[in-house]
Each structure stands twice: as structure tokens, then as C-alpha cells.
């Protein structure tokens, strides 16, 4: 059964896009069928998946959202789902920021993204949605479409400040729009393994949520190789398969999917 996971945090620079990119790759390597959706106007995920041929991007999620708002019939899947290795993805372009403004004026628009993704569910084990750093209409759409939300946090960067606003928003969406949404859990990223700060933050979260929020056992180390891989449009596993960050993302994919080997 397909699970739609939205990766969210209203802070920027906490490894949302990097985690979607590398989780998608790792799940693909585990033999799972993955669709990644770039739902951030900055289009970093598309850039990392398409790199040189961004001008060749066909129908984007921004186009699909506009069609959905105008109640037009959507084109066939082949017109908007691209492939990169084992990853299928729906690219994006900057027009998504126009979509965001229009969503503010549109009635009952929260489920538009879900309506686009639902027919695709039969083809995938996981649909991963990358979001923009805000709690605005785009993120609300992405959360309204999701079965669960994965929160990435960087323990060095006032990690837990803002976490309550995010969880409050998610709980509101659960009550008002999308009763099925659950917390997938928290992934600690960009961790300096020598400082143990990630363990302290993990304990802080456990205390604040009385164990009601899963913090993944696997955390992702900070590594200059991750940024290099991103710049080359590669997953860290392709760029440097033996790197600690690459092994960690692979381990994380197993933990998240319950892969038993
Ligand atoms: N584990 C990591 N180690 C080092 N740098 C990282 C790591 N994860 C992400 N980065 C870098 O941090 C920056 C922000 O990451 P990004 O995934 O774009 O965050 P977000 O999508 O939350 O804004 C990027 O330059 C990225 O290359
Ligand atoms: Mg991003």
C-alpha cells in the first residue's frame, strides 16, 4: 500500500530537500517504488534530479496545480512524471509561488494536491513530498495530502524552537482537513557525531512529547560530501557510497520502511 510522506519544517536549511533526495534513492535501492514530488518554489529537488536539462522540464507540479484549480482534466501521467534511475519524480518550477498566492484566494483548496496524487498511489510504495520553509498554503496542501509527516531537524540550530508551531499546525490539519495524517517521526540531520548534541536534543524531544513522537534511531552526520553530492546532482550514495552520511541514509530508509533485509 502506498504511503504519502510529507517532509516538513518551516525552517530552511534543515536538510528537507537533501533528505527527500537521498531517502528516495535509498528506498529505490531497497526495491521499493518511489515517487518524489518537488513542492517548493525554489525547485532545489528538481535541480538535483534534472541538473543540466532544467529547460527540458515538461509539465510541472505548478502546472498541475493550476489545472486542478481551474478544474481542467489533467494530462496522462507520462506527461508529468520523469525518471532518474529508480526514482520517479514530478518536477517543479518557480510558478509554484504564483500557485501559492492563488491558493490563498481559492475556496476549499487544501485537498488539491491530494487529488492530483491519489490516482498515482497504485503505482508506488512511497510518495515523498518536499516542501518550502513556511507554514503557508503550499505546506498546508502537502500536509493535507499526506499519510504522515517526517520532520527533519538540525540539532545545532535551535532545533526545537518552532517545533511546537509545526506540530500544532499538523494537529489542526488532522482535526479539520486530513484525519489520517500521523507523525512519521523526527530525523536528526547534519549531526556532529562527536558532540552528542543530537542525543541531547533527542532526549529533549522525548521529554516534551512524553515519548509520543518517534525520533529515528538513525541520525545523519554532517559531511561536506553531502553538499558536494547535491551540487553534482547526485545522491550521496552515488557520489561516495562508503561515506558515513550515505550509509546513514541507507540505514534510515531501512528503519523508516521496516525493511528486514
Ligand atoms: N548531512 C549534511 N551534511 C552537510 N551538509 C548538508 C547535509 N544535509 C544538507 N546539507 C546542506 O545544507 C544545506 C541545506 O540543505 P537542504 O536540504 O537544501 O535544506 P532545506 O531543504 O531544509 O532548506 C544545503 O547546502 C545542503 O547541501
Ligand atoms: Mg529545500
Amino acid at each position: 500500500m502506498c504511503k504519502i510522506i510529507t517532509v516538513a519544517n518551516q525552517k530552511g536549511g534543515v536538510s528537507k530537500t537533501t533528505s527527500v533526495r537521498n531517502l528516495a534513492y535509498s528506498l529505490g535501492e531497497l526495491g521499493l517504488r518511489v515517487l518524489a514530488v518537488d513542492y517548493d518554489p525554489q525547485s532545489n529537488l528538481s535541480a538535483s534530479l534534472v541538473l543540466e536539462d532544467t529547460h527540458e522540464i515538461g509539465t510541472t507540479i505548478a502546472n498541475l496545480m493550476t489545472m486542478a484549480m481551474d478544474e481542467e482534466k489533467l494530462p496522462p501521467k507520462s506527461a508529468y512524471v520523469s525518471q532518474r534511475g529508480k526514482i520517479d519524480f514530478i518536477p517543479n518550477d518557480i510558478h509554484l509561488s504564483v500557485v501559492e498566492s492563488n491558493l490563498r484566494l481559492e475556496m476549499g483548496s487544501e485537498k488539491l494536491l491530494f487529488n492530483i496524487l491519489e490516482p498515482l498511489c497504485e503505482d508506488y510504495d512511497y510518495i515523498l513530498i518536499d516542501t518550502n520553509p513556511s507554514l503557508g498554503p503550499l505546506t498546508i496542501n502537502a500536509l493535507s495530502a499526506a499519510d504522515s509527516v517526517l520532520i527533519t531537524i538540525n540539532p545545532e540550530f535551535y532545533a526545537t524552537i518552532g517545533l511546537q508551531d509545526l506540530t500544532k499546525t499538523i494537529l489542526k490539519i488532522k482535526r479539520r482537513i486530513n484525519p489520517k495524517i500521523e507523525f512519521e517521526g523526527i530525523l536528526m540531520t547534519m549531526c556532529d557525531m562527536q558532540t552528542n548534541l543530537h542525543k541531547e536534543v533527542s532526549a529533549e524531544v522525548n521529554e516534551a512529547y512524553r515519548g509520543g513522537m518517534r525520533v529515528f534511531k538513525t541520525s545523519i552526520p554532517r559531511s561536506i560530501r553531502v553538499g558536494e553530492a547535491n551540487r553534482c546532482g547526485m545522491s550521496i550514495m552515488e557520489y561516495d557510497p562508503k561515506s558515513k552520511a550515505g550509509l546513514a541514509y541507507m540505514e534510515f530508509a531501512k528503519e523508516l520502511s521496516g525493511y528486514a533485509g
Side-chain angles (χ1 to χ4, degrees), residues 16-17 40 44 130-131:
K16 289 184 291 297
T17 304
D40 177 357
N44 293 342
D130 186 26
T131 59

Side-chain angles (χ1 to χ4, degrees), residues 68-82:
M69 270 190 265
D70 293 344
E71 301 188 353
E72 283 175 25
K73 193 171 180 290
L74 300 188
K77 182 186 162 188
S78 58
Y80 57 86
V81 174
S82 304

Side-chain angles (χ1 to χ4, degrees), residues 11-18 38 40 42-45 130-133:
K11 282 183 189 163
V14 293
S15 213
K16 289 184 291 297
T17 304
T18 303
D38 186 352
D40 177 357
Q42 291 179 57
S43 308
N44 293 342
L45 183 66
D130 186 26
T131 59
N132 61 332

Side-chain angles (χ1 to χ4, degrees), residues 47-114:
S48 94
L49 284 161
V50 186
L51 210 61
E52 280 144 33
D53 290 331
T54 37
H55 61 282
E56 279 185 15
I57 285 180
T59 305
T60 64
I61 195 71
N63 301 138
L64 295 175
M65 285 295 292
T66 305
M67 289 176 207
M69 270 190 265
D70 293 344
E71 301 188 353
E72 283 175 25
K73 193 171 180 290
L74 300 188
K77 182 186 162 188
S78 58
Y80 57 86
V81 174
S82 304
Q83 276 87 32
R84 168 79 185 264
K86 293 173 187 159
I87 306 173
D88 279 9
F89 67 98
I90 306 181
N92 175 39
D93 63 67
I94 192 66
H95 294 109
L96 196 60
S97 49
V98 179
V99 169
E100 175 155 45
S101 316
N102 292 343
L103 279 173
R104 290 180 208 277
L105 307 170
E106 194 77 17
M107 35 171 184
S109 63
E110 294 92 348
K111 282 286 197 176
L112 287 181
L113 181 63
F114 178 70

